[in-house]
Amino acid sequence: QVQLVESGGGLVQAGGSLRLSCAASGRTFSGTFSSYGMGWFRQAPGKEREFVAAISWSRSNTYYADSVKGRFTISRDNAKNTVYLQMNSLKPEDTAVYYCAATYQPIATIQRQYNYWGQGTQVTVSS
């Protein structure tokens, strides 16, 4: 049983901040969370799901979509089996359902490289 559970979404005004969390649980991640690359994706209404940010198992490498670079920060706490997405200077175009995902790869930016997905958390940014 594998679970990735996102939290921290909500409604925020443009320019505000939110911190998303993704907790991993289940036999697959027990004692091995630190060996997975982790990523965040998002899907806005009427659009395809897109890459947002990724972090390697060792936390030494991070990738960001150009649209969020300088505003979002991905981090992870392997002791807590949790990955975070700090989102600052939010814009209405950041409105989407945000998904956490885990990959066997050291780090990845492509959806098909991810093996496990959470159910998503809604982020709404009002203008």
Side-chain angles (χ1 to χ4, degrees), residues 20-24 33 38-40 55 74-77 80-85 100-101:
L20 305 183
S21 299
C22 172
F33 176 76
M38 299 297 296
W40 287 95
I55 187 167
I74 188 171
S75 61
R76 65 189 295 165
D77 185 337
K80 295 183 178 180
N81 286 10
T82 301
V83 63
Y84 305 97
L85 186 67
C100 165

Side-chain angles (χ1 to χ4, degrees), residues 12-20 39-43 50-55 62-75 83-99 121-125:
V12 64
Q13 288 189 331
S17 298
L18 282 175
R19 189 195 196 200
L20 305 183
W40 287 95
F41 291 77
R42 67 186 181 186
Q43 187 168 19
E50 64 177 4
F51 168 75
V52 174
I55 187 167
T62 56
Y63 294 150
Y64 295 94
D66 288 342
S67 59
V68 307
K69 206 170 290 183
R71 300 188 297 122
F72 290 11
T73 302
I74 188 171
S75 61
V83 63
Y84 305 97
L85 186 67
Q86 178 66 44
M87 305 186 295
N88 299 329
S89 302
L90 282 161
K91 305 175 181 180
E93 51 263 45
D94 294 319
T95 295
V97 176
Y98 283 72
Y99 297 90
T121 185
Q122 176 70 47
V123 171
T124 303
V125 185

Side-chain angles (χ1 to χ4, degrees), residues 46-60:
K47 295 187 177 181
E48 294 186 352
R49 190 159 57 184
E50 64 177 4
F51 168 75
V52 174
I55 187 167
S56 63
W57 63 271
S58 64
R59 295 171 292 183
S60 60

